[in-house]
Amino acid sequence: MSPQHPTAWPPYPAAWREPRDRRDRTAWIAPTVATVLLTVLVPTAAFLGLLSVMATDSCGADCPQALTTSLTLIYGTLFFGAFVTHGAWAAAWALPWTRRWSALRICMAALSLLPPVFVLILVFTLPGA
């Protein structure tokens, strides 16, 4: 373009960008915290969740309905929650590291923690046999 049209050239400088499009220097914090917590929560939830049937084995065929429902929820959450946990954790790391995506990144990191925490709550609140 001609020098009379300075708005078309030079290209849009980085300093004039929208603040939400700038690189977020703290983007790594939420996925890292989720990763550290998941390394503790997932094995604990899997171990206690899978042992919960052995702890309630003494009731045999006369198990109360509340106990059966809790065990079904534990095993369903262990299976299907693994997909939710892995998907949300991967999304928290894979989102672009700009300020625009920081809220969603934090939500994905928090969502990845919910299934193992839910399993642990269910295990620790199992109804009596």
Side-chain angles (χ1 to χ4, degrees):
M1 294 208 99
S2 65
Q4 292 88 6
H5 298 89
T7 57
W9 196 85
Y12 208 145
W16 294 347
R17 278 192 213 145
E18 180 79 25
R20 292 176 32 169
D21 290 335
R22 292 186 186 146
R23 182 170 170 82
D24 187 10
R25 295 180 186 200
T26 62
W28 59 274
I29 293 174
T32 303
V33 168
T35 302
V36 169
L37 289 174
L38 284 173
T39 58
V40 174
L41 288 174
V42 168
T44 305
F47 180 72
L48 293 177
L50 293 174
L51 282 181
S52 63
V53 75
M54 192 167 63
T56 59
D57 196 30
S58 63
C59 66
D62 298 328
C63 288
Q65 184 64 32
L67 180 62
T68 307
T69 303
S70 291
L71 291 174
T72 304
L73 275 173
I74 288 170
Y75 295 130
T77 306
L78 281 175
F79 181 74
F80 294 111
F83 296 112
V84 173
T85 296
H86 187 267
W89 175 78
W93 278 108
L95 284 170
W97 286 24
T98 58
R99 292 182 185 174
R100 174 176 301 204
W101 297 98
S102 63
L104 184 60
R105 183 179 306 104
I106 293 169
C107 290
M108 288 291 117
L111 178 66
S112 70
L113 299 173
L114 289 181
V117 169
F118 183 63
V119 168
L120 288 174
I121 289 171
L122 285 173
V123 166
F124 289 126
T125 60
L126 275 174

